[in-house]
Amino acid sequence: GAEGEGEGEEEGEGADSEGEGADSVKKASFALCVGVGYLSDPPNANGLAHFVEHMVFMGTEKYPDENEWAAFLSSHGGEDNGETDAETTCFYFDVHPNYLREGLDRFCQFFAAPRFAWGSSEREVKAIESEFQQAKTSDSNREAQVHAALIDEAHPYNTFGWGDRRSLVERPAAARVDMQREMRQFHAQHYSAGRMSAVVLGKEPLDELQLWALESCGAIPNKQTSRPRFSSGPPPFAPHRLPLEVRVKPLKDVRRIDFSWFVPSLQEHHRCRPAEYVAHLLGHEGAGSCLAALKAAGLATDLSAGLQEDTSAAAEFAVSVDLTPRGASELDSVVAAVLAFLGFLVRAGPQAWVQEELRGLAALRFKFAESEPEVDYCRRIALSMAQPFYPPEPDAVLSGDHLLSAWRPELVEELLSRLTPSSLLLTVVIAESGAAGDGGDAAGPGGEWQVEPWFDTQFRVCPPLSAERRSLWDEAYAGAGGGPGDAPWAALFALPKPNPYIPTDLSLLCPPPAGGADPSSKPSPPSLLESTQSGCVFCLPDSRFFAPKGVVALEIGTPGASASIERRLLGELAAKVCAELLNEESYSASLGGLGLEIFATPRGWALQVDGFSHKMAQLGVRACETLASLATRGDDAEVGEAFSRVLQQYELGLSNACFKVGDRAPYERRRVLEASFFHYDDMLRAVRGLTPQQLAGFVADTLGGGAYISTYLGGNVDAAVALSFSKAMHAALGSPPPLQQSDVHANTVMLLADEGSCWLVWAVGAKNPTDSNSAVETYWQLGPSEHGLSARLTLLEHLMYEPLFDALRTKQQLGYTVHCCARNTLQMLGFTVTVVSATHLPLEIESRIGEFLASFLDSLAAMPATEFAKNVEAAVANRLQRDRNLAEEAARYFPEIEARTFVFDRAEREAELMRATSQSELAEWARRALVGDEARRLSVHVHKGGADPAGEALPDGALRFELETEKAKLSTWTQPDEPLPPLAM
């Protein structure tokens, strides 16, 4: 598996690298959705629905121990979660299939007879507060709460659904509100069987699953209460308040303008989904689209459109545009373009062929839908069933949120008639460093900066539009003006042409056997079809899924890809410019069920195409041709424009990198460990001087210097097709000369110590000066990747995860984020414990981690043998989960090819060693590796905003690590290449 952190460097986790075999299993799963959410919070208890979601897990009358459920899941390979939305609260879990019935009984007691142990309430308030402190660093959350503050007070959207200590403790106490009584009343009123939907998935026959569902869910009382509906109230904004323009100060370096229209609920039209039709055309990225026109004018880099919210209270249709610096200084031009496209759609009228294409694509996606994680599947269906206008037809239970049935053009017309200049809420989100224009209106009376009270977001409501600006908007909407130059925007628009990437050949090159496939059979690994100095080709024809889909993945290994920061940056830019040049085509392909990714790696470039196999080769060849063409297009105007857009977006990405402390901690760990690593600040400085001409020279020099191309093809392909694909893509790259694999960048890792033990502490400050969170990631470097060590790591993670969470989050409430994880950093195995806290500083967090480790290691050695054996089998079952689809299969096999390890049965080998690991062996090894004379430890401390990391005291026995001066003194380890497997006969 790949962690996918930072600069595209892979960092796998042994426990997540999925395999399959004769004893493979899937998870059983259950989801239950309650028809109530935060819109039902009492006005004196904001966040109560979220609070109840947390508190139902605090033990039941039948199973009173608060930690009993978590311990049950942990010992049987399961996980759970819950989420509170506007009108729904959803709970779900998965577990080893053999324990589903017991899991159902335990889980449903949370809704039948929860204890609501009030002694746990303070801990859960802390958990919600920690969750909120992390949410405060999201600009999208902050903007949404500004909107909530501006909405008319009589409307349900004028609320604070997150909840925090102020709303759940301080304000209720000041108002003498009994929160324990409010919580019990909320549950009694809303948690009724008649307002719930549930989905159970298991290996048993349907009749047996139905019986189990009745046994467990039958204990939940039906209180005959009706579901709250909010459709009778006023609109979110009184008409006289619109149009309204708002400026919001973001935390990150952002240039964005957001359009919002609040319209009556569209829930009852879910079978024809008029908003999906409008979003498809408004958010299209092909020729004639609004985005294409904005890009051509140099004003925008991205545009998205769709429903932001749809409840019984109102629906919000939103458009978001990412701006260039020029766009940020010409806001009215961008507004005019979006309004002009809406007017263009009104005048064009609803197009039946567009809806028919959308309906055909939806049917195609549903017919060949790939498996998804079992818990996600149950959650999605339970949420769909919870919608108030859910289709009652039995055959629509699984397809209701996929298929489009009816074409009702009058609904499209009605929706478009509401998306007008006069009903617009316009939100400008531009950092102070951006070139924000005020559209001609300075801040006057009523335009002072204000502070939203929950998120502390600065915003201001702009004065009413001047007659000049209002006229500009109206003329653009009418198609009469507002465009770049002399032409109106409307003259640049056109409806998309029929999609050329819709697959028409759905035949199978690998049909299922006459008697059907044996689900328990062990699959064959990828076969090596070809090995030359130019590369290798692996192929795995489909023997499990039998769908007209495939995956092609290749790595283009080149010399010196990471030799300098400039070469690394030019490699990144080449991949991004290639993707930008292909955007209109790849967008159509994505609508047709074919995805394309191209990105830089430390070794060169990687490319993947996956989806329907009919036109897979066509898109892959186009991507390779486009990448190679950059070598001769240094002065090409189209490339220059694409380069400019990419550079602007890339600079923003580097500027915003590691904005959250939870992202900064693993980034700094990798910065210490990886020999070839370039910091985002250094990259930001270096990238600003690069030009399209340098890009062309780099691509010409790189491909001209040779390439070693590793290719994997899986799915609806055979050997002949795979070899043909490979040759076509090699030719499309310009047939680069051969290159020895040994000339490609090798994975090199810094060793924390040459021998013995060590404990290094690398301390940094938060990037966001207002961030109240601190983070600690403690890492143990354990040794080069080998099966026995990986097996022990997987067991350690499984056994530690739940008690760590229970001790540090549930009981001690250190923070919302607490977890441990096995790590594979460039084939060097390690282990991390991570905590993000809004209440404790790094030194205290480190101390608590140490106390937990001492207790855990004692409990591991003393664990009853039967409990240990049960946990081993749960961990083995997780390790042997089958790939659910071709993409997961490729994600397991292709990294083996990229890393030159070629262990295609890794999961089976490690599962066997996990079963062979004794309890005493694991306990003794864990003690030596984590706290004993073999412990090689690196702690990354990220201090909250404004704190001085240099002044931090160190834990006993730790040494301060100064990366800039001490990293170069560390020894290194370089991964050796393994030989290729034998050629297929």
Side-chain angles (χ1 to χ4, degrees), residues 125-160:
V125 168
K126 286 182 178 179
I128 290 172
E129 175 69 20
S130 295
E131 184 179 358
F132 174 65
Q133 290 301 324
Q134 292 194 37
K136 283 182 72 173
T137 64
S138 165
D139 281 320
S140 59
N141 290 338
R142 298 167 71 85
E143 180 184 353
Q145 193 60 43
V146 168
H147 287 181
L150 292 172
I151 285 171
D152 292 349
E153 289 187 10
H155 195 273
Y157 283 0
N158 185 284
T159 189
F160 171 63

Side-chain angles (χ1 to χ4, degrees), residues 352-476:
W353 74 266
V354 173
Q355 179 75 0
E356 190 58 34
E357 185 174 277
L358 290 174
R359 183 161 61 175
L361 287 169
L364 196 64
R365 285 192 295 268
F366 181 72
K367 181 177 180 179
F368 296 107
E370 296 181 332
S371 295
E372 57 190 300
E374 292 78 15
V375 71
D376 293 347
Y377 184 70
C378 290
R379 169 190 170 277
R380 180 170 55 77
I381 296 175
L383 281 169
S384 181
M385 292 169 62
Q387 299 309 309
F389 295 96
Y390 185 77
E393 306 88 0
D395 63 347
V397 171
L398 302 183
S399 65
D401 59 352
H402 284 277
L403 300 182
L404 291 167
S405 57
W407 168 230
R408 295 185 56 187
E410 72 277 9
L411 294 178
V412 174
E413 291 175 334
E414 181 182 352
L415 176 59
L416 283 170
S417 72
R418 296 179 181 275
L419 309 183
T420 64
S422 62
S423 56
L424 171 62
L425 169 63
L426 185 71
T427 308
V428 179
V429 187
I430 299 178
E432 290 182 352
S433 59
D438 276 324
D441 286 334
E448 298 85 0
W449 288 101
Q450 305 175 52
V451 177
E452 189 281 317
W454 296 107
F455 282 77
D456 298 324
T457 306
Q458 288 186 286
F459 72 98
R460 72 177 177 90
V461 178
C462 297
L465 290 182
S466 64
E468 180 182 359
R469 293 184 72 203
R470 182 61 187 268
S471 175
L472 174 67
W473 290 14
D474 290 341
E475 287 178 5

Side-chain angles (χ1 to χ4, degrees), residues 693-895:
Q693 290 76 22
Q694 288 174 286
L695 181 69
F698 168 78
V699 174
D701 174 67
T702 299
L703 292 178
Y708 185 92
I709 303 173
S710 302
T711 306
Y712 168 89
L713 295 105
N716 193 33
V717 296
D718 57 23
V721 169
L723 288 172
S724 175
F725 276 18
S726 174
K727 285 180 171 58
M729 288 186 288
H730 188 268
L733 287 168
S735 299
L739 182 73
Q740 293 291 337
Q741 169 65 20
S742 58
D743 292 329
V744 179
H745 173 80
N747 292 330
T748 301
V749 180
M750 313 307 294
L751 297 177
L752 297 181
D754 293 331
E755 58 184 21
S757 63
C758 70
W759 186 1
L760 308 178
V761 175
W762 169 228
V764 297
K767 189 169 185 177
N768 173 13
T770 67
D771 197 338
S772 62
N773 297 286
S774 299
V776 170
E777 180 155 291
T778 295
Y779 168 83
W780 288 266
Q781 190 172 69
L782 299 172
S785 178
E786 54 91 8
H787 299 308
L789 178 57
S790 184
R792 293 192 295 273
L793 266 174
T794 303
L795 287 174
L796 178 64
E797 178 183 346
H798 177 86
L799 287 160
M800 186 187 291
Y801 198 98
E802 187 280 327
L804 176 73
F805 188 90
D806 180 58
L808 299 191
R809 179 183 161 178
T810 304
K811 291 187 170 65
Q812 299 182 35
Q813 284 298 318
L814 251 64
Y816 186 72
T817 299
V818 175
H819 61 80
C820 61
C821 193
R823 301 287 182 183
N824 183 337
T825 307
L826 307 179
Q827 302 306 308
M828 176 64 68
L829 297 184
F831 188 77
T832 57
V833 171
T834 304
V835 177
V836 178
S837 175
T839 55
H840 294 73
L841 298 178
L843 187 62
E844 176 64 18
I845 297 170
E846 194 79 70
S847 174
R848 302 288 186 92
I849 291 173
E851 292 170 2
F852 166 79
L853 284 176
S855 172
F856 169 78
L857 291 169
D858 289 342
S859 66
L860 177 59
M863 179 182 290
T866 54
E867 185 179 346
F868 179 80
K870 189 165 54 177
N871 274 278
V872 169
E873 285 308 307
V876 167
N878 282 344
R879 189 74 179 95
L880 291 174
Q881 282 192 75
R882 299 175 73 95
D883 299 316
R884 300 179 183 89
N885 50 58
L886 290 169
E888 285 190 4
E889 188 176 72
R892 180 159 58 93
Y893 287 136
F894 188 57

Side-chain angles (χ1 to χ4, degrees), residues 150-364:
L150 292 172
I151 285 171
D152 292 349
E153 289 187 10
H155 195 273
Y157 283 0
N158 185 284
T159 189
F160 171 63
W162 286 91
D164 70 351
R165 171 167 288 280
R166 291 169 297 174
S167 71
L168 294 172
V169 176
E170 295 170 4
R171 292 190 180 192
R176 302 194 177 189
V177 174
D178 185 340
M179 284 299 289
Q180 184 176 10
R181 185 179 66 181
E182 290 282 345
M183 176 186 67
R184 291 185 177 276
Q185 286 181 346
F186 188 93
H187 185 272
Q189 178 181 356
H190 298 295
Y191 277 57
S192 168
R195 289 166 58 180
M196 296 178 179
S197 58
V199 178
V200 60
L201 185 153
K203 60 183 175 61
E204 292 74 17
L206 287 175
D207 288 345
E208 190 169 357
L209 290 174
Q210 181 177 348
L211 177 64
W212 293 1
L214 291 172
E215 286 176 353
S216 54
C217 297
I220 304 172
N222 186 353
K223 302 164 186 175
Q224 306 297 325
T225 59
S226 59
R227 182 172 177 172
R229 297 284 293 166
F230 303 96
S231 54
S232 59
F237 288 91
H240 73 272
R241 295 183 61 200
L242 300 173
L244 183 65
E245 182 180 359
V246 183
R247 302 293 174 103
V248 174
K249 286 187 178 180
L251 297 175
K252 291 185 177 181
D253 194 0
V254 174
R255 293 188 300 266
R256 190 179 71 243
I257 186 167
D258 295 330
F259 303 71
S260 299
W261 289 271
F262 290 91
V263 302
S265 173
L266 298 169
Q267 289 179 329
E268 63 180 300
H269 305 309
H270 65 278
R271 299 305 298 272
C272 50
R273 299 199 282 277
E276 187 172 311
Y277 173 97
V278 176
H280 169 69
L281 294 178
L282 185 52
H284 206 281
E285 298 181 16
S289 66
C290 185
L291 178 60
L294 286 167
K295 282 184 174 182
L299 299 176
T301 59
D302 198 13
L303 182 152
S304 60
L307 281 182
Q308 188 80 6
E309 186 77 86
D310 190 12
T311 72
S312 62
E316 179 186 358
F317 189 91
V319 178
S320 183
V321 181
D322 291 340
L323 304 168
T324 64
R326 178 180 173 185
S329 64
E330 299 180 22
L331 292 176
D332 273 340
S333 294
V334 179
V335 175
V338 173
L339 294 175
F341 198 88
L342 284 167
F344 164 76
L345 293 180
V346 170
R347 293 186 296 277
Q351 305 289 311
W353 74 266
V354 173
Q355 179 75 0
E356 190 58 34
E357 185 174 277
L358 290 174
R359 183 161 61 175
L361 287 169
L364 196 64

